[in-house]
């Protein structure tokens, strides 16, 4: 079936998710290769490339094992002359920062665009870091779309700039832009892809030993000066001047451009203020900003998260001796979370000295909560239950990034600390060394490949103590079942090779290794019990496919469901201690909701007298 | 049809119910009808059995996110979530909600109390100028698929005349955008929604 992203002609208009619009923009730019590590809110970009094109059709693509590797593969491809796109969530760019900060020195002839999908408001993340900081720190031209149309247009423009300057370009989005839908008018797809830029061997550019790097730093400065000229001329630098030519102005970037626009319309203040919208946000168009400052007596700067634009504009004004009053963070405009239209109405009313009534808002009612939870039939619950039985509160539980972080909730309470991908093993072993306590670290299969292997090697090398439980559910569950090296070969297809986790663990040198089926509670408990009395690095691999993945992709399970056969103490203990979301109360009695139960049979193992499995009606 | 009519709709439901699919379908219908449209969704962690919210903005609004008091319409696919989302409704706005409850885990285990339907309706009536409750899951099942229950609610809001396009445009969009095998149940569900305002 033809897909509009792959086949759609110029001037067609389609409703696209921001992330789909990025895909279309990259296709219009003639992207040769896409690399990624999935992470909300970036995942639909690579997933869409995978869904519509398959590998090798018009472009190459890969799910890399982590963001650093994805970045390096894309850098290599771009050195080989390709237009490359690498996608990740904001914290992924921390992992990928090492190659990035030197790739800006060497430059990349083919053109590299980096998508960093930031998450102000913590929708699915452990922090809300502002990756515009990377544009400044590493020297990356940066684009920030605020609509689906711009997501497409700026992706295409980012590729143009990346190839023109031979510098990596940052496409910085935020959750609301990645996951917004809007009408997108298409440009033309290239008739033929631009050829690869032939690689010319030049160690004095591409091998940054100190003497070379010193020269390249100067080249980078020159290239960024050229980028600044592009920003001055950019169609994404837009000034709105009302007929009344007011002496008050707003400079705004990112998704806040929408909130400012809607707030000005709602407050009917459009005639009272001029607006400078910045779409290319690094390097800043200094001349445009200075002339805007000079046209105003006072200017308000609006940006979510860090006051980066504000500080730069203040510095520019100081240097130029410009006396325009500058306002930014303060009052309702904080560095916390996301902005909104009502928040901007308040900020703009304060700035303009306009009367503004705060909307009356009804306080949210105290209602039964609906917290996210491990799914019914999730194998992580079984392993956590077993760990609680063996270690209770005696052990400290080191967690990692994935669905299994939800094991922090009672009654399982199997997450005591967490930093980032892979930290369960390294931070866990560090903690154990000083606290002299048993540490049980939990890490998923994709996270193990991402950055668990190095921590494991380190723990072994330094003779540290930790029990590592690899929760191998055969897929990258949290972000939507993307491939990883642990996935079964027949699911991966012929372009990828399955890697065996046990062989890797043993290959690193771990000798205390056990492998169990997560749904065999007795064997999980037995393995943990044995590990409890041992020292050093111990690894338990608990295998069982993710319940959603098993149903959707492996077409397994679901032929049987559990029913409650006894209302006694054992049943109650299972319901309280195992807490499967399929448990419920019906007419005052314990029951299992057959629409949620997957028939995993764990409740029978916890309370053999309380439940039985029957054929699904 | 008033394509310039500005309207902000807040959608809420439970993970797995298909409320994001419903949002996207109504957004495509709006574009098909020539109305300016922006929709906003949040994907990811919240979907693991949690609350799923989304917004649909018609007629030129740009912000893909709503705050309390900004929505003209709430489309709730589960009554408790409709009540939870009520602060988003502006005074005098309109509510369309499923009346079929899906108890959250605390309620399922008997630890918390699910509010009575009458209580929910009364709280909504304090803010909304009108509210409509339809047994969407039940009607969806009757039409041939529980998920088609969302179409009952969408058809009802289209038939109410509150949107810049009517239920006939929605019907046309269903025929155009839904896979053939999903059409019979959804077209039947559409009739249930349409007849609510007949």
């Amino acid at each position: 079936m033809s897909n509009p992203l792959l086949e759609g002609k110029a001037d067609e208009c389609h409703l696209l998710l921001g992330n789909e619009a990025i895909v279309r923009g990259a296709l219009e730019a003639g992207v040769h290769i896409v690399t990624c590590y999935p992470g909300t809110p970036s995942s639909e970009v690579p997933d869409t490339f995978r869904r519509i094109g398959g590998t090798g059709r018009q472009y190459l693509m890969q799910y890399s094992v982590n963001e650093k590797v994805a970045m390096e593969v894309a850098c290599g491809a771009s050195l080989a002359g390709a237009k490359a796109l690498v996608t990740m969530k904001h914290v992924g760019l921390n992992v990928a920062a090492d190659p990035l900060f030197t790739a800006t020195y060497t430059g990349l002839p083919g053109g590299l665009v980096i998508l960093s999908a930031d998450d102000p408001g913590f929708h699915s993340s452990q922090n809300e870091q502002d990756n515009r900081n990377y544009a400044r720190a590493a020297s990356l031209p940066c684009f920030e779309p605020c609509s689906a149309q711009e997501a497409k247009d700026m992706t295409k423009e980012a590729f143009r700039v990346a190839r023109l300057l031979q510098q990596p370009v940052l496409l910085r989005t935020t959750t609301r832009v990645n996951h917004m839908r809007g009408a997108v008018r298409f440009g033309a797809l290239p008739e033929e892809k631009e050829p690869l830029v032939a690689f010319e061997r030049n160690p004095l550019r591409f091998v940054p030993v100190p003497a070379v790097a010193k020269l390249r730093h100067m080249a980078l400065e020159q290239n960024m000066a050229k980028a600044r000229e592009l920003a001055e001329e950019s169609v994404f630098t837009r000034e709105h001047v009302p007929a009344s030519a007011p002496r008050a102005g707003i400079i705004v970037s990112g998704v806040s451009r929408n909130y400012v626009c809607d707030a000005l319309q709602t407050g009917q203040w459009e005639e009272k203020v001029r607006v400078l919208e910045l779409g290319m946000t690094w390097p800043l168009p200094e001349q445009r900003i200075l002339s805007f400052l000079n046209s105003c007596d006072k200017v308000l700067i609006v940006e979510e998260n860090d006051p980066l634009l504000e500080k730069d504009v203040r510095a520019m004004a100081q240097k130029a001796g410009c006396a325009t009053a500058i306002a930014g963070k303060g009052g309702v405009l904080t560095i916390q979370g996301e902005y909104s239209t009502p928040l901007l109405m308040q900020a703009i009313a304060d700035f303009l000295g306009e009367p503004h009534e705060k909307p009356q808002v009804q306080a949210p009612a105290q209602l039964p909560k609906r917290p996210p939870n491990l799914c019914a039939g999730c194998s992580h619950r079984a392993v956590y239950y077993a760990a609680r039985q063996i270690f209770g509160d005696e052990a400290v539980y080191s967690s990692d990034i994935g669905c299994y972080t939800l094991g922090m909730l009672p009654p399982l309470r199997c997450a005591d600390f967490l930093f980032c991908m892979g930290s369960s093993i390294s931070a866990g072993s560090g903690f154990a060394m000083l606290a002299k306590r048993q540490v049980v670290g939990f890490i998923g299969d994709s996270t193990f490949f991402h950055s668990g292997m190095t921590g494991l090697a380190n723990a072994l090398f330094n003779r540290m103590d930790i029990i590592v439980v690899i929760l191998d559910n055969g897929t990258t569950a949290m972000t939507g079942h993307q491939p990883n090296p642990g996935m079964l070969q027949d699911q991966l297809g012929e372009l990828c090779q399955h890697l065996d986790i046990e062989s890797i663990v043993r290959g690193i040198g771990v000798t205390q290794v056990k492998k169990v089926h997560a749904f065999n509670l007795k064997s999980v408990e037995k393995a943990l019990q044995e590990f409890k009395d041992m020292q050093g690095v111990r690894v338990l691999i608990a295998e069982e496919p993710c319940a959603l993945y098993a149903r959707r992709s492996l077409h397994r399970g679901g032929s049987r469901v559990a029913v409650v056969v006894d209302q006694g103490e054992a049943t109650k203990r299972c319901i309280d201690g195992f807490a499967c979301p399929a448990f419920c109360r019906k007419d005052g009695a314990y029951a299992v909701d057959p629409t949620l139960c997957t028939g995993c049979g764990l409740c029978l193992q916890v309370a053999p007298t309380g439940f039985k499995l029957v054929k699904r009606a | 049809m008033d394509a310039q009519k500005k309207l902000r709709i807040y959608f809420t439901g439970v993970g797995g119910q298909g409320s994001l699919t419903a949002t996207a379908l109504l957004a495509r219908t709006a574009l098909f009808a020539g109305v300016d449209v922006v929709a906003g969704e949040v994907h990811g962690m919240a979907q693991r059995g949690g609350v799923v919210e989304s917004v649909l903005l018609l007629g030129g609004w740009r912000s893909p996110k709503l705050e309390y008091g900004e929505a003209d319409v709430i489309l709730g696919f589960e009554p408790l979530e409709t009540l939870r989302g009520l602060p988003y409704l502006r005074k005098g706005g309109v509510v369309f909600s499923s009346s079929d409850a899906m108890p959250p885990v605390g309620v399922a285990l008997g630890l918390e109390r699910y509010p009575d339907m009458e209580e929910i309706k009364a709280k909504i009536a304090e803010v909304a100028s009108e509210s409509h409750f339809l047994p969407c899951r039940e009607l969806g099942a009757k039409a041939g698929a529980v998920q088609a229950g969302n179409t009952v609610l969408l058809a009802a809001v289209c038939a109410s005349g509150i949107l810049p396009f009517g239920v006939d445009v929605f019907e046309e969009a269903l025929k155009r955008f839904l896979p053939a095998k999903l059409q019979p149940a959804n077209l039947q569900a559409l009739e249930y929604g349409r007849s609510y305002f007949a």
Side-chain angles (χ1 to χ4, degrees), chain A residues 61-78:
Chain A
M61 82 157 292
Q62 69 167 244
Y63 291 89
S64 307
V65 295
N66 69 30
E67 293 88 352
K68 175 177 185 284
V69 172
M71 178 75 76
E72 289 161 349
V73 170
C75 285
S78 190

Side-chain angles (χ1 to χ4, degrees), chain A residues 95-266:
Chain A
V95 180
D98 197 3
L100 177 65
F101 275 69
T102 303
T104 54
Y105 278 36
T106 63
L108 298 167
L112 171 69
V113 173
I114 301 145
L115 169 66
S116 165
D118 293 12
D119 192 18
F122 306 90
H123 296 285
S124 292
S125 306
Q126 64 268 42
N127 73 29
E128 58 175 348
Q129 70 183 51
D130 186 337
N131 276 6
R132 295 177 303 156
N133 283 297
Y134 276 110
R136 287 156 171 80
S139 288
L140 302 161
C142 177
F143 290 90
E144 290 184 74
C146 78
S147 66
Q149 181 71 52
E150 281 191 356
K152 178 194 83 69
D153 293 342
M154 286 190 183
T155 304
K156 192 173 174 183
E157 176 66 3
F159 271 106
R160 189 185 74 84
V161 172
R163 187 162 265 206
L164 181 72
L165 301 178
Q166 301 198 357
Q167 288 295 142
V169 173
L170 184 67
L171 181 66
R172 188 258 185 176
T173 55
T174 50
T175 302
R176 298 287 173 180
V177 176
N178 296 97
H179 291 163
M180 83 194 293
R181 275 178 213 275
V184 176
R185 190 159 296 280
F186 285 5
L189 293 167
E191 302 257 319
E192 264 178 71
K193 273 215 178 115
E194 276 176 72
L196 302 183
V197 179
F199 177 68
E200 285 169 33
R201 201 187 297 269
N202 182 4
L204 293 180
R205 174 175 175 191
F206 295 118
V207 185
V209 293
V212 172
K214 194 172 169 180
L215 296 174
R216 292 309 304 173
H217 195 187
M218 294 178 205
L220 173 58
E221 199 181 348
Q222 286 161 8
N223 283 339
M224 288 306 281
K226 287 182 201 155
R228 190 181 304 285
E229 286 166 27
L230 296 177
E232 301 281 2
E233 302 299 320
S234 174
V235 294
F236 302 113
T237 308
R238 288 194 205 109
E239 198 175 332
H240 309 272
V241 186
S244 57
R247 300 286 298 172
I250 295 175
I251 304 179
V252 57
S253 72
V255 72
S256 301
R257 289 153 58 202
N258 296 321
Y259 306 135
V260 166
C261 172
D262 285 350
L264 290 178
Q265 279 194 18
T266 308

Side-chain angles (χ1 to χ4, degrees), chain A residues 288-308:
Chain A
R288 296 285 294 272
I289 290 174
L290 272 175
S291 87
F292 186 81
L293 285 178
N294 286 327
S295 70
C296 298
D297 298 327
K298 58 178 180 178
V299 162
L300 176 67
I301 294 164
V302 181
E303 56 192 322
E304 282 181 345
N305 288 148
D306 297 346
L308 300 178

Side-chain angles (χ1 to χ4, degrees), chain B residues 42-127:
Chain B
V42 172
H43 303 188
M45 201 167 203
Q47 282 174 291
R48 298 272 178 264
V51 183
V52 176
E53 304 159 290
S54 51
V55 300
L56 186 68
L57 315 161
L58 303 177
W61 291 110
R62 281 175 51 175
S63 306
K65 169 187 181 232
L66 292 186
E67 269 302 326
Y68 289 166
E70 283 197 287
D72 302 294
V73 181
I74 290 184
L75 286 188
F77 294 97
E78 202 278 345
L80 174 63
E81 296 318 318
T82 306
L83 180 58
R84 202 191 307 280
L86 189 60
Y88 285 93
L89 192 70
R90 68 168 168 80
K91 185 89 183 154
V94 180
V95 171
F96 288 80
S97 177
S98 170
S99 55
D100 293 329
M102 295 174 70
V105 62
V107 172
L109 293 173
L111 305 171
E112 292 176 290
R113 192 184 71 87
Y114 195 100
D116 298 331
M117 237 3 252
E118 289 317 308
E119 214 176 310
I120 292 177
K121 287 180 178 174
K123 288 236 170 78
I124 288 172
E126 288 172 20
V127 185

Side-chain angles (χ1 to χ4, degrees), chain A residues 95 126 397-402 404-405 416-432 439-444 447-448 450-456 458-459 464 466-468:
Chain A
V95 180
Q126 64 268 42
Y397 300 102
S398 171
S399 194
D400 224 303
I401 305 277
Y404 45 93
T405 317
D416 290 318
F417 58 82
L418 162 68
F419 298 112
C420 62
M421 295 285 283
S423 72
S424 59
I425 303 178
S426 22
S429 54
F431 182 95
V439 171
V440 183
F442 295 100
I443 186 167
T447 309
F448 178 72
H450 181 287
S451 45
M453 297 188 293
T454 41
L456 189 64
N458 181 71
M464 299 170 91
I466 187 165
I467 297 172
V468 176

Side-chain angles (χ1 to χ4, degrees), chain B residues 102-178:
Chain B
M102 295 174 70
V105 62
V107 172
L109 293 173
L111 305 171
E112 292 176 290
R113 192 184 71 87
Y114 195 100
D116 298 331
M117 237 3 252
E118 289 317 308
E119 214 176 310
I120 292 177
K121 287 180 178 174
K123 288 236 170 78
I124 288 172
E126 288 172 20
V127 185
S129 62
E130 51 177 290
S131 51
H132 307 280
F133 298 86
L134 293 87
C136 295
R137 243 158 92 104
E138 191 190 314
L139 289 173
K142 207 169 122 191
V146 175
Q147 284 78 13
N150 296 346
T151 298
V152 177
L153 205 65
L154 296 182
V157 72
C158 290
S160 74
I162 199 174
L163 303 185
F165 49 86
V167 70
D168 294 344
V169 177
F170 181 54
E171 183 174 355
E172 193 55 40
L174 277 186
K175 288 178 180 162
R176 191 174 279 244
F177 301 130
L178 276 194

